């Protein structure tokens, strides 16, 4: 069974640009969550999608957005990039709408903003 | 404010030692506490704890939850170099689909 796949794995952008990251969950998993990981703040919840609907959103500015497609694949977008957006962006999938247990994480997309 | 606090932040021990990692939490509508291991990129699931006093075990790793004192510990016995990683404690909060993570404990095992 294939794991969670995130693309691209690494990318470099400059301030002011925008970026789109992609996540393909494990087959059969309908919920996808996104997290930002930085050395200073650790892992922070961005948002969660279930059946193409955003169920929850963390405390991030509106420059951070996402969506989910009918095949459960998800994308997140960050517009007007700032230096502080440099981070590892992790996607996690889980089989049910309620996540009280195991999340299956992808390898992440490492974004560097110059 | 909901929070999860882990200690110590980092720990260096010799192979064969036993270590105890700590996690305290203050989270409304507590449902469960999770432990993850992060070696390079993707955190991998270790345990989910929901009931006080019931130890979960997996090989040399074990964990227990105290819902009265609001903390959990993760024990690793007979440590090996492969145990070197960041260990993350996490608690779903607000709703089951939002998870707050602790800052992690970076464990380094010296041969």
């Amino acid at each position: 069974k294939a794991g969670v796949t995130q693309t691209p794995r690494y990318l470099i952008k400059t301030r002011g640009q925008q970026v789109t990251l992609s996540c393909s969950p494990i087959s059969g998993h309908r919920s996808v969550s996104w997290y930002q990981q930085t050395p200073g703040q650790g892992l922070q919840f961005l948002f969660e999608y279930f059946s193409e609907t955003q169920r929850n959103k963390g405390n991030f500015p509106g420059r951070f957005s996402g969506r989910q497609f009918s095949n459960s694949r998800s994308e997140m977008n960050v517009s007007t990039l700032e230096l502080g957006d440099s981070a590892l962006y992790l996607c996690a999938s889980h089989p049910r709408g309620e996540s009280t247990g195991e999340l299956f994480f992808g390898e992440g997309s490492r974004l560097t903003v110059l | 404010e909901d929070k999860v606090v882990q200690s110590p932040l980092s720990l260096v021990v010799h192979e064969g030692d036993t270590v105890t990692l700590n996690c305290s939490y203050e989270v409304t509508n507590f449902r469960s506490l999770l432990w993850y291991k992060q070696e390079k990129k993707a955190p991998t699931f270790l345990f989910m704890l929901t009931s006080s006093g019931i130890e979960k075990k997996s090989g040399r790793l074990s964990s227990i939850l105290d819902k009265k004192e609001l903390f959990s510990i993760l024990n690793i016995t007979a440590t090996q170099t492969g145990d070197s990683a960041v260990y993350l404690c996490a608690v779903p909060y607000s709703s089951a689909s939002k998870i707050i993570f602790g800052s992690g404990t970076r464990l380094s095992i010296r041969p």
Side-chain angles (χ1 to χ4, degrees):
Chain A
K1 195 174 191 182
V4 177
T5 304
Q6 291 189 244
T7 58
R9 294 289 307 279
Y10 302 91
L11 65 167
I12 299 174
K13 294 285 187 178
T14 57
R15 279 180 297 174
Q17 289 186 310
Q18 66 93 28
V19 66
T20 299
L21 310 178
S22 179
C23 172
S24 293
I26 292 172
S27 178
H29 288 193
R30 298 169 62 192
S31 288
V32 172
S33 300
W34 288 89
Y35 290 83
Q36 181 196 63
Q37 187 173 32
T38 59
Q41 299 296 320
L43 264 163
Q44 292 185 288
F45 173 80
L46 279 158
F47 26 65
E48 189 228 1
Y49 287 88
F50 175 74
S51 293
E52 302 179 64
T53 301
Q54 187 180 87
R55 286 163 54 93
N56 280 292
K57 192 176 192 304
N59 296 323
F60 279 82
R63 299 184 297 106
F64 292 80
S65 63
R67 59 178 175 169
Q68 187 180 33
F69 302 95
S70 58
N71 62 358
S72 295
R73 189 177 71 85
S74 177
E75 289 181 346
M76 67 163 283
N77 183 275
V78 187
S79 62
T80 319
L81 285 166
E82 302 176 359
L83 296 179
D85 296 333
S86 295
L88 179 66
Y89 290 87
L90 290 163
C91 167
S93 76
H94 30 100
R96 296 177 300 277
E98 292 293 308
S99 173
T100 56
E102 182 174 5
L103 296 178
F104 297 83
F105 283 91
E107 293 287 299
S109 293
R110 181 162 300 279
L111 170 65
T112 301
V113 182
L114 302 176
Chain B
E1 181 186 348
D2 296 320
K3 60 181 179 181
V4 175
V5 179
Q6 292 186 247
S7 64
L9 291 181
S10 66
L11 188 57
V12 181
V13 300
H14 289 287
E15 201 167 19
D17 288 350
T18 293
V19 297
T20 298
L21 310 183
N22 305 295
C23 174
S24 64
Y25 62 91
E26 291 180 28
V27 176
T28 53
N29 300 317
F30 177 85
R31 302 174 190 224
S32 60
L33 184 143
L34 314 168
W35 283 97
Y36 282 84
K37 177 182 182 182
Q38 186 175 25
E39 293 182 76
K40 291 183 179 177
K41 295 289 177 62
T44 54
F45 175 79
L46 293 175
F47 297 112
M48 180 177 74
L49 303 158
T50 56
S51 300
S52 278
I54 298 176
E55 185 182 52
K56 291 282 186 87
K57 281 185 70 88
S58 177
R60 297 174 294 102
L61 277 67
S62 64
S63 183
I64 197 162
L65 174 68
D66 186 328
K67 292 168 72 174
K68 182 180 178 183
E69 300 297 330
L70 307 183
F71 78 90
S72 173
I73 60 172
L74 175 68
N75 281 317
I76 307 175
T77 59
T79 52
Q80 303 171 356
T81 55
D83 295 327
S84 295
V86 174
Y87 290 84
L88 297 163
C89 175
V91 178
Y93 72 109
S94 177
S95 72
S97 56
K98 294 174 72 172
I99 296 179
I100 182 170
F101 282 83
S103 56
T105 294
R106 181 174 296 279
L107 177 63
S108 299
I109 310 296
R110 290 184 173 169

